[in-house]
């Protein structure tokens, strides 16, 4: 019940969504194909292996190509990384709501 209070009520993030992504992350830390915590193309390329071209996410079940759009956007990630992280919390809310909606 502590996870529900802290996760759901105080942070606004569905504890079930957090557990699923967090557990996958720890099973496959920094795996380009399995770790959802580093799969942020086309906005961020957190590992140089993303720059190899076609990357398949087994978590999201889709291809994440490093195409011209990704190349153009990630070229400036060193500039927008910290401002993006300042508002990234809202993405967690959206991901949580999507997770809940898909379950019901």
């Amino acid at each position: 019940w502590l996870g529900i209070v802290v996760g759901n009520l105080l942070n606004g993030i569905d504890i079930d969504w957090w557990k699923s992504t967090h557990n996958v992350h720890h099973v496959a830390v920094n795996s380009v194909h399995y770790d959802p915590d580093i799969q942020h193309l086309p906005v961020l390329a957190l590992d140089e292996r993303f720059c190899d071209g076609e990357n398949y996410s087994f978590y999201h079940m889709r291809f994440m190509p490093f195409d011209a759009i990704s190349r153009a956007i990630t070229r400036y990630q060193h500039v927008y990384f910290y401002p993006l992280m300042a508002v990234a919390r809202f993405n967690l809310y959206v991901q949580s709501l999507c997770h809940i909606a898909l379950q019901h």
Side-chain angles (χ1 to χ4, degrees):
W1 68 269
L2 182 62
I4 291 173
V5 170
V6 173
N8 293 11
L9 298 177
L10 297 180
N11 289 324
I13 297 170
D14 179 49
I15 193 68
D16 186 49
W17 170 83
W18 182 83
K19 284 189 331 187
S20 69
T21 60
H22 188 74
N23 289 343
V24 170
H25 163 73
H26 280 282
V27 167
V29 175
N30 294 336
S31 167
V32 171
H33 302 289
Y34 292 97
D35 187 351
D37 286 356
I38 65 168
Q39 297 173 345
H40 302 294
L41 283 179
V43 179
L44 296 171
L46 299 178
D47 190 299
E48 63 187 20
R49 292 174 290 177
F50 281 114
C51 304
D52 293 339
E54 287 289 321
N55 300 288
Y56 187 78
S57 168
F58 287 96
Y59 184 81
H60 298 291
M61 303 300 241
R62 66 180 178 87
F63 282 100
M64 299 180 309
F66 190 76
D67 53 11
I69 293 170
S70 297
R71 192 172 294 107
I73 294 172
T74 59
R75 178 176 293 144
Y76 301 102
Q77 70 183 11
H78 65 285
V79 174
Y80 63 77
F81 180 79
Y82 287 108
L84 180 65
M85 290 301 110
V87 296
R89 174 174 204 80
F90 297 104
N91 180 50
L92 298 178
Y93 299 147
V94 171
Q95 294 295 320
S96 245
L97 291 173
C98 290
H99 182 78
I100 292 169
L102 290 174
Q103 285 187 338
H104 299 293

